Amino acid sequence: MDEIVSQMAKICEALSTRVKYIQALRNHSRPGGTENAEAVFDGGLALSNMWALYNSTCAALEWKPVAFQLQAWIQSLLNEPGPVRLEPLPSGIRLEFTRGERPLTLNLDDLGTGVAEMLMLLFALHYWQRSGMAMTVLLEEPEAHLHPAAAAEFMRLVVKHLPRHQLLVTTHSTALVDAADSDWRMFRLDLSSGRTRVAPLSHSSDRRGLLADLGIRPSQLFLANAIVWVEGPSDCVYLRRLLSETCGADSLPPLVEGRDYAFAIYGGSAGVAHMSLGEDTERLVSLFFLSPNPIVICDRDVAFGEQLKVHVRRLLAEGQSLPGGPPVVVTHGREIENLVRPEILLDAVRACAPKSLGGKALRYPSVAIHDGDAFDVVVAGTARFEPDERLSAKERRVLAGRISANKGNIATHVVLASAPFNAGGTAFAREIIELIKRGRPL
């Protein structure tokens, strides 16, 4: 038993020399820490090793290939247009940059903390690899003190040029997550009920939750926090007015189009047939690839209580597993125009619909438009040629099509009216506002 314990101790001791912890607070000019010194990365020691290599009797063979590699990496990290020359000093590094006809000479400290740290770390990883050592490196927040592009480039350099090492990286940077190769395994740490949970990060919905955990909103990238998918341009006109009115009535801050939300048009049932809130990205387009907070507005297209169309039912089913439920809002009536008070909708139709058909003057009598009605069909069905001639079935179909094609002008006319929407319009807008709040708490 004593022999087994002794062998285990030797194995653990050997493994400890192959594990390095690189903490977030690091500096090339001071040791990483005194506790567990063998396992903690020492930036000062990296400088000493570089100086010793530079001054070795075999410098031409040992130092020059290392210098060539480091100089290329610095040029890449800093996105320098010209070559970089590196010269170790007893307690630092001198770097020469090519800027036009005159060289620019800087010391390591002049580069900034982040770049100096990464240079020392790259040298150490390269030094270990050339010495035949495959290290397990526990790297904490490589993005500290670095421009996001430089942090992503550092990871790319490590993956490409230092493959013998295994890195375990903790980060708060989505730039690093985005830069990770497909063969990297990613995990999300979540504090819940006083416990830290670890779960694989794989599906697009997982990444959406990661953005929320990091407090990142699309507006921080000058993108809208939510994309509201609508069937056509007239829906945008109605929803702008509805959202504005409802925020005011509920004493909420006004929603800003372009920051809080933006519209995208999918073109009705033909478009929604190709959209997905799930992971079927071979046949369908995942809305989460376009925005972490998509919202789909669908016309019911049937009377209330009747079965919805198959693709709307599929979107609702796909969204059931998402936090907060499916981001799909279906109109309470047949279509969005049914949220308008009937008398105001009829006034808008009279103002915008054709005044004649086949050379005959038209008039539009008063008519009740109910929630389950297609307003263009109802209005066309009661229209009359002057003075009181009924339209044929074919003429009614043609007129309904022309009214429907004029939905944009009708919507513009509606929103100019005072209080144009019914109570169902306010409830509809509140559903959408709640979904927009997922991207930006109001």
Side-chain angles (χ1 to χ4, degrees), residues 126-433:
H126 190 45
Y127 182 82
W128 293 328
Q129 182 165 284
R130 283 178 62 86
S131 302
M133 299 173 66
M135 304 293 289
T136 297
V137 181
L138 313 179
L139 178 56
E140 193 172 359
E141 299 180 23
E143 71 272 17
H145 312 128
L146 274 181
H147 187 283
E153 179 63 12
F154 167 77
M155 296 302 295
R156 189 192 69 81
L157 292 174
V158 170
V159 170
K160 182 177 181 180
H161 298 286
L162 301 163
R164 294 197 64 185
H165 304 306
Q166 181 183 40
L167 265 67
L168 281 74
V169 179
T170 63
T171 182
H172 295 99
S173 170
T174 52
L176 290 189
V177 174
D178 182 61
D181 288 346
S182 58
D183 59 346
W184 279 57
R185 297 186 65 189
M186 291 189 286
F187 297 86
R188 172 183 173 189
L189 276 67
D190 177 40
L191 182 62
S192 178
S193 302
R195 296 181 178 181
T196 300
R197 297 184 305 163
V198 181
L201 184 66
S202 53
H203 299 305
S204 56
S205 56
D206 297 332
R207 291 173 180 260
R208 177 174 176 248
L210 175 66
L211 289 174
D213 284 352
L214 295 176
I216 293 173
R217 300 193 301 271
S219 62
Q220 294 169 346
L221 305 176
F222 306 109
L223 301 173
N225 288 322
I227 298 297
V228 181
W229 290 88
V230 296
E231 294 198 7
S234 60
D235 296 359
C236 305
V237 178
Y238 289 123
L239 288 174
R240 285 191 189 101
R241 175 70 185 271
L242 261 173
L243 294 174
S244 175
E245 279 192 1
T246 306
C247 283
D250 293 351
S251 300
L252 293 172
L255 294 171
V256 178
E257 186 174 357
R259 182 196 68 186
D260 299 313
Y261 70 94
F263 291 113
I265 296 171
Y266 62 83
S269 57
V272 79
H274 301 283
M275 297 160 60
S276 173
L277 293 171
E279 300 298 330
D280 184 0
T281 56
E282 292 187 8
R283 299 183 304 109
L284 305 172
V285 176
S286 172
L287 297 183
F288 288 114
F289 288 169
L290 305 173
S291 168
N293 192 26
I295 302 167
V296 185
I297 310 300
C298 298
D299 283 346
R300 184 171 294 276
D301 287 333
V302 293
F304 196 84
E306 294 182 13
Q307 191 175 51
L308 297 171
K309 289 187 175 180
V310 61
H311 295 301
V312 177
R313 298 201 310 272
R314 175 179 55 77
L315 282 179
L316 288 167
E318 289 173 344
Q320 287 298 331
S321 62
L322 299 174
V328 180
V329 183
V330 181
T331 56
H332 297 191
R334 186 181 186 91
E335 48 197 349
I336 199 166
E337 283 81 7
N338 297 98
L339 301 176
V340 180
R341 289 162 48 199
E343 66 275 15
I344 291 177
L345 181 59
L346 185 59
D347 284 345
V349 172
R350 286 168 173 163
C352 302
K355 301 299 186 286
S356 64
L357 185 68
K360 299 180 183 180
L362 286 167
R363 68 181 181 88
Y364 298 95
S366 296
V367 60
I369 303 173
H370 303 290
D371 278 351
D373 292 337
F375 83 98
D376 47 351
V377 174
V378 171
V379 171
T382 57
R384 294 288 188 271
F385 290 125
E386 294 287 7
D388 193 27
E389 179 187 345
R390 287 177 59 87
L391 280 65
S392 68
K394 180 179 179 180
E395 288 169 332
R396 290 196 297 271
R397 288 195 299 272
V398 170
L399 181 57
R402 293 184 181 179
I403 293 173
S404 179
N406 217 7
K407 281 184 174 183
N409 289 331
I410 293 171
T412 301
H413 197 279
V414 164
V415 298
L416 294 175
S418 174
F421 300 106
N422 56 36
T426 302
F428 182 70
R430 284 178 177 145
E431 288 186 61
I432 299 171
I433 290 170

